[in-house]
Amino acid sequence: ACAGARPLPSMWKWLATNVGLPLEAPKGATRGLDIAALWPGYSGLNQGHALVLGLFCKLYNHLLMVLDDGEFYEEHGPKPGTGPGPRATAANAKGSNLSLSQVRAIVTSLNSLVFHTHLPRALPAKQQQQHHHHHRDQQGEHHKQMIISAVAACGEDATAMLTEAAPLLLRSLYERDARRPFCQ
C-alpha cells in the first residue's frame, strides 16, 4: 500500500478506500462535515485499520515538525535536496506529500474520530447492523490473518497508539491552520 517515495499519500488513499474516509475535501466542505464511518469512535475501527491510521498519524506528525510553512502550503513537502541521501531530488520531492485538499480531509476525519470517541453518539440499530456487517463482509480470511500478523509485529496496541497519535496530529494541523488558514 505504501510503495515508492510517497508513503503518506499512499497510506491516506488506502485509509480512504478501506475505512470509508474522504480522500479529499474542498475548502468550504470542512465546516461541520461529519464522517459516518467514524461515528463509533476508536472502538469502531478494527485493529488493522487502527494500526494503519495510528502509524499514519505518527508519521505525518513527525513530518510536520520539520516542515516550514512554505513547504507545507506551497510545496506540500520537503524542499528538493533537503531529505536524506541521493534520492532527495526535485523529481521525487515534488508531489511526495499530501495536497491541501487531502490535508482538509485528514483534519475532518481526525476531528470526527476524536470527537465521537469522547462524545459518542448512539447509532440507530439498522446503522449498527450495517456497520458491523460491512466490516465483516469486507475482510476475507487471508486479509484477517495479514492484519493479525501486522498488529502482532507492531508490538503495541493499535488502538492505544491511535488514541495517542490522532489528537497530537489534529493539534499540529490546527496550529498550522491557525497561522494560515487552509480549512474553514
Side-chain angles (χ1 to χ4, degrees):
C2 302
R6 299 173 40 135
L8 290 173
S10 296
M11 290 174 81
W12 185 250
K13 184 176 181 181
W14 186 90
L15 286 162
T17 303
N18 291 285
V19 180
L21 307 178
L23 183 60
E24 296 183 340
K27 191 169 186 174
T30 55
R31 175 169 279 169
L33 186 61
D34 196 6
I35 311 302
L38 300 175
W39 285 353
Y42 298 132
S43 64
L45 294 172
N46 70 41
Q47 286 291 295
H49 295 162
L51 177 69
V52 175
L53 185 54
L55 181 59
F56 174 86
C57 289
K58 281 185 159 191
L59 289 171
Y60 195 29
N61 198 38
H62 185 74
L63 177 65
L64 288 175
M65 286 188 229
V66 298
L67 284 181
D68 65 30
D69 284 344
E71 292 171 323
F72 179 81
Y73 291 102
E74 282 87 31
E75 299 164 28
H76 311 294
K79 292 177 183 170
T82 59
R87 292 184 51 141
T89 64
N92 77 356
K94 180 166 178 58
S96 64
N97 292 300
L98 299 155
S99 69
L100 290 180
S101 63
Q102 288 174 310
V103 174
R104 285 189 288 272
I106 293 163
V107 168
T108 301
S109 298
L110 292 179
N111 194 42
S112 287
L113 179 66
V114 172
F115 177 83
H116 289 299
T117 295
H118 297 290
L119 190 62
R121 78 191 274 172
L123 292 176
K126 185 177 179 181
Q127 284 182 329
Q128 285 179 348
Q129 289 172 351
Q130 288 174 343
H131 178 74
H132 293 296
H133 184 68
H134 173 71
H135 284 293
R136 195 171 49 245
D137 289 348
Q138 199 174 28
Q139 299 174 343
E141 192 59 38
H142 179 69
H143 187 229
K144 285 181 188 176
Q145 291 304 318
M146 287 178 19
I147 289 173
I148 291 168
S149 298
V151 171
C154 180
E156 76 177 284
D157 178 44
T159 304
M161 177 174 56
L162 180 59
T163 302
E164 178 185 334
L168 291 175
L169 176 57
L170 187 58
R171 176 64 187 201
S172 294
L173 290 168
Y174 171 82
E175 289 172 1
R176 291 283 176 149
D177 187 61
R179 286 198 300 266
R180 183 173 158 193
F182 58 88
C183 290
Q184 284 188 346

